[in-house]
Structure formats: C-alpha cells, structure tokens
Amino acid sequence: EFQVSKHGTLLKSGGVCLDDGTPRRHEAVHTFTSFLQPNGAINHFHIPFHTLSMSSTAEKDINLQNKIFATVDNKSEEGERFLEEVFRYFQEIRNLRLRTSTLLKLIGNGQLDLQESLQLLSKLRGENPSSKDEDNLAKSMEVKIYSNKLNKVYELLNLYAECTSRMEADSFEPTLENLTECLAQLSEADKEPLFKLISDSSTDKDALSLNLTATQFLNAFDTDGELMRSSAAGKRSPSIGLRKDIDPKIRQELAKFFCKLSMLDSAEDILLSSGISTSEILDTVLASALRFPNQTCQWFYNLAKCFIALLTVKEGSDDRSVSSLQELSKRLILKAKIDENLYCVILLWMNALRSVDAPHAYIDDWSRRLHQTTGMVELLSTFKSLLAKTKPNHVDLSKTTSSYSLHSVYDCGNGRVTELVSTWLHKLGSCSLNLPANMDGLNETVELSLITKVSDYFPKSMDVNVLVVHMAWDELQTWHTQDRNDMASLETALLSLSAITCTKLKVMFSQLIWRTFFAKLFRDIVKRTDDFKKSSMNETSICDKEFGIRRDNLACFLRLILAFLDKSLELLRFGELPDVYVEYDNFSLNNQKHLLDHALAGEPPDIDILSLEHQFCVVLYLTWKLKLPSRPLKLFNSVEINNLIKTNTTAVISWFSDYNTSVRTERISWTGLVSETAAGYIHRLPDSQLDSKDYKELMAPVLQLSKVWFLSDVVRVGQCHALYIAGFDSLGSEIRNTFSSLELDKLGEKLMDVVLLRIAKYLHQDPDTAQVATIPAEVVTEVAARRDRSSTVADTPLTDTRELLKWLTET
C-alpha cells in the first residue's frame, strides 16, 4: 500500500545491477522503475536488460589487458615500437586499479626487463592527469592512489637500476688497512677482538655477493599507503616503507644492497631522495647483521660505512634522526644473542656515533654495553668449556646460551647474574649442598673454576651465601612444580641452609621458603589428616590429587619439614638477629627485586606462630609415621587451631588462655600411645644388644613437645613404663636413673603393676597349682585380678622381673 498524491508517485524496484566502471563488479541498487498514478494505474519504465546486467566498460578493459600481455609476449617481433603500443593500450584502460595490477604483473613476471619497465613507467607518469595540476582539489582519491603507486614503483626501480649499475662499475674491495682507518676513533684494545675474529674467520667472500633481482627488491616494499606529497619547491617527497612479512633471505640481501649503496659517492643524497626511511634501513641492516653474521673484513667495512651514512642523513630542519636511530639500535641490539658477532656490531655502531659527533651520553652507554658484552662472552665461553668436560656426550652446546641477551642479563636487576650462575652450576651437576665444600677445597672443581671466573666481574654476587640461597631456591622450585615425591631433592635443598653463615639471612630465607612452598600445603595436610581419622576415605587418591605427594611419602615429607622448623626455631631463640652483610653487585639500572631482596624485605617470623607450627608438625609426623588413630586437632584448643588455620600473625593470642582439661587429657593419652608404639622400633641384636636408634629419633620430638605442653614428667614416666611393658628393662633403667623423687613415686606404682602382670602371665602360661601354692594369698589375689591384662606385657625372663622387684622394694 502506497501513499498516492493527486500527482502520483514513483515506485522503486528490487535489486538491479548498474555499470560503475569496475570490471566484473555488479552492485545491486534500487532504482525507480515505475510510476503510480492517482487513479491507480501503473506506468512501467522499459529499460534494456543488457544495460543493467553487463558492464561493457569492464569487458573492454579486460580485452585491453589481454592485448597488452599478447603484445609484450611478441615484443621480439614488434621491435622497439612495442612499448608505444603497450602505452597506448594502457591509456585506453579506464579502470585505474586494473591498470596498476596489469603493470605490476608485467614487471613481476619478468615480461619487461628493468630498462623497459622504467621507460613504460616514465611514459605513464608523463600522461598522468594529476601531474598537470598537483593542487587540484577536485582530483579523485582513486587518481591520487594510482599516481602515488606509479611514482613509488618508478622511484624504487630507478633506485635499484642506478645503484646496481654503479656497484658493478665499482671494483673496490676494502682491506684491513681500510677498516683500520675507518675505525681510527676506537682504541686498540676495543678493536683487537674484531681483528681476531676476522683472522680466525673461514667465511666465504662470495657470501657478500648481491643476489637480489629487481622484482624481489620491488616486492619487498609497500607501495600502497601514504600519498606522496609535494614540497614548496615542487619536488616530490616520497614515503616508502618495507613490508612486514619479508622473507629472511630477502631481508639479508636487502641489507647487503643498502651496505653497498652506502659505499657509493653521494650515498646520503641517494638515501634521502629514495623516500625509504632510515629507521627501516637500519632495522633491516641490524637484523641481518645479528641473524646472519659474516666475519669478513669487507662486511665489517661495509657495515661501518652504512652506519655512518644512515646517521649522516638529515631528513628535515628539526632533525631527530640520530636519537631515533639510537633508540632503534638499542631495541634490536639489546635483545640479540650475546656472542662475538654482537660485540663487533656494537663496536661498529659506537664508531659511527663518534664519527658523526653524536651526544656523549649515547657513546658512553654503548661503551658500557661493549664492556658488558666482553665480560659475558668470556663467562659463556668458560661455562661451555666446563660443560663440555663434564658432560661431553650428552649436551648440545648450541642450546645452552641461545636465550641470553644484554637485556635479559644486565637489564633485569642486580640478582640476574646470580640466577644464571645458579642455573649453570645445576647443569654442571652441582647442588646447593655440595657447593660450599667444592668451593673451599684444595682440589680444582668445576664449581670453583666457574665461580672464580665470574667473581672477576661480580665478586659480591658470587658470595657462597648468595649462591646457596639461589641454588636451594631453584631446587625447591623444581621439587614443588615437577615432582613432589622426590624427597632426596627436597632434603638436599633444606640441608644446604646450614651452610649459610649469615644468621639473619638464614632465618629470613627460611621464612620465605615456608611461606612460598610449605605453609598452604602444611595446613591442608593438617585438615585432611583430621578428616581421615574421623571417617573412612580413599587416602591414597586424596594425597595424590590434593598434596601431589604419595601417601607412603607423607611421613618422610613431614620429617624433613619438622627438621626445617626445628632449626628455624632454634635460630630465633638466640634473640636479636645480627645485620646482613651480603648483597648483589650493583650493575643494573633496573631496580627489579630478586630473591635476596625479597627474602630480606619480609618480616621476621613470629616465634609463637613458629612454635605452634612446630607442635603441629610433631603431631602430624608421628601420627603418619606410627599410623596412630588419633585426631591431631583434638590435641589443640580452639585458639591454637584458629592461629594455625587462619595464620593470624598480627594478633596472636596466648596459647594457654583457653586451655581446658579435655585437651590435656587428649595430649596425655596421645603421648602414652606414642611411647608404646615407638617401643616397637627397638630391635634386639646378638649378644643381648639393642638397636634403639630409630626409637630415640621418634621419642626426641615427643620429649621436646612435652616441655612446651608442660607434660614433661608425665611423658618421661610414660616412656619408662612403656619400655618395661615391652620388656626392654635395660633401657628403662637408664631413663629411670635420671628421675626425680616425685617422678619415682609415680613410676613405682606403674612398675609394680608391670611386675604383677609379668607374674600373672608366667603363672597362667603353665597351670601348675604347686607354683601358685608357694605364693602368698594376697599376691595371688592381685595376680588373678590381672590375668586378663597379662598379655599386654612382653615375655621377660624371671631374672629381669626379680631385679625390677628388688629395686621397687629398695626404693
């Protein structure tokens, strides 16, 4: 339904195709195709179909393109007149984009040689309508783009033709004398590594020959983009950029081209008029020099001349080319692999800066970088030689230093060198535990050789305390991320802490280790162990998934953690910690923090929190080691549990403010169970000897814990009682002799019960009434009452029982 006035209205059709001049491009448009009169009658516009569906202009342009290709293919028959004919066909092509693509195909396919391409381009530029009126505001954007592309292609091919012809005519080959003269502003000491590299080089001189065709040269540049502008003097100022996706081999050839161009007379003028940015040229040359090193005298001479030429080019009155090239060179050189070739590139760049009187700050900065490169090359050479001796058949030396650059070594904080040396020492087969002994010994070791060399440059960073800290940290990271069941590596790292002679560093580093690797894992084990004792669970699966440690390795892990906490607690009992006397060498301008900085920046551990963690660790270790059924959390009150689980280190409440009888009872019961179970780790040897080493190791933390819980007398009495129950009277008597009178009174009642139990067991093993008749009636009653419990004591000779009873009667 349409709105119809008394005059009628126009109606639009569906999509139709109109000729817009672009080949094969048929855009659907809406156009008026009928008229609706007020009376309802429709008048149709009859439009020939071919005018809507086919572009005659496009077909004509394509036919002209085919004629151009055919004419060029038959140019040998046409003679010199073929260019005139080709030019005429180009003039008849209306579509400028088709004209440009046709021209590039002719050049790219090699159908036109270099001179023919330049002649055709010159003719096309001459007929270019934009050249007549450069400031015509009505000129279409498409004509501007076409003119811009045409001019850029011409300038590039003209540059290639002019330079290659002059390069072929120039037969100059630089010698060492020429190179020495070019580097006259450098000291002999700086130039010596360069000349040594040239003398030792076996590079083929043919590698410097230019293998770059005109088509490859043209395709390396982006001829689209920014339009060419006209200066006030009427001269064109082109802006041509390199493509981003150039093949590395082509980029290498481009670098050779630019270096050879820099050797020509008036090279600066050629570079300036070419329209190619000096920054992109330097980027290409530096990238090629760093990626494809060439150690010939000719290459170094060409490179030096190229650097000087680029720094000499002035692109405007307010020129900042030197500063921009300086920033570009830093970005590329500082991220390149450190080797002898990098040293040479820095040396040649520094020479170029001096030649153009660049700011002294730039030269001083590269002088510092040159010294850094020299030192790192020596260190890497020492490391690789030691690695080859240590592991001659198992190491690919080409992969050991591929990631080291000036930025990654010297611009990442003062601790970076120590990190690298720690990594190297591990690759040499060393570890944090063996390092101090290998450094202090009289024998020449790989550790001593490497550290001595590095100490020439970084003496403070090679302090044994700093190295042990870094190596232990690397080992702990490997254990934590790769294999938590590797208890040998964990033990090595924790034992190495004893080699740290600086007490405060040892305490602070231990605290950092605890917070980073063990604190969360320890709390999870506490909670899960309590859950295991409350209900039946798949402990093996849970330990593997949640802890990353096998169930049978948990006891070993807790033993190592217990020893670690024990040493930390012992150090804190000394009181105020002395000042730290170790630090990194100050060589980096980057203030990035490293391991030593992080360790010393933290707060010292709270001795109350540390003591609580130690108590929990003792309980956990013995629970897993002895497979006790006790719940660990029942041995601590709510305040202690809250301080451990939440680690509220800012407001620690006194541990015994909420102490209650149930906790004390649980602790007494648990220590008694430990004493009884631990007695099972005593082994009898021939000649009535006892192996009690494992037993003493198990009881030592219990006795230490009993002092903190104020249960020392109870635990000692229980320990002695458990030994007599197990039949180890000799060990029991040793402990019994150290008791006080109060402890002896408590012990006497328990040992009398042991005597009666032993007698009951002896009598009821052989039911002989005659034996019972010889015992007083009062004793018979006590023995009979203990008949059911007599199996709880071990079989013991009557002589031992008699000796025990004799001691009881005497006391």
Side-chain angles (χ1 to χ4, degrees), residues 576-602:
E576 186 177 354
L577 299 174
D579 294 334
V580 177
Y581 55 85
V582 292
E583 60 180 354
Y584 296 124
D585 291 280
N586 187 13
F587 61 86
S588 178
L589 299 179
N590 190 332
N591 294 325
Q592 179 179 337
K593 301 292 185 182
H594 282 267
L595 181 58
L596 194 62
D597 305 313
H598 289 298
L600 297 177

Side-chain angles (χ1 to χ4, degrees), residues 246-257:
I246 305 175
D247 183 83
K249 294 295 183 182
I250 301 299
R251 187 179 289 273
Q252 183 184 10
E253 296 300 323
L254 281 175
K256 295 178 187 177
F257 176 85

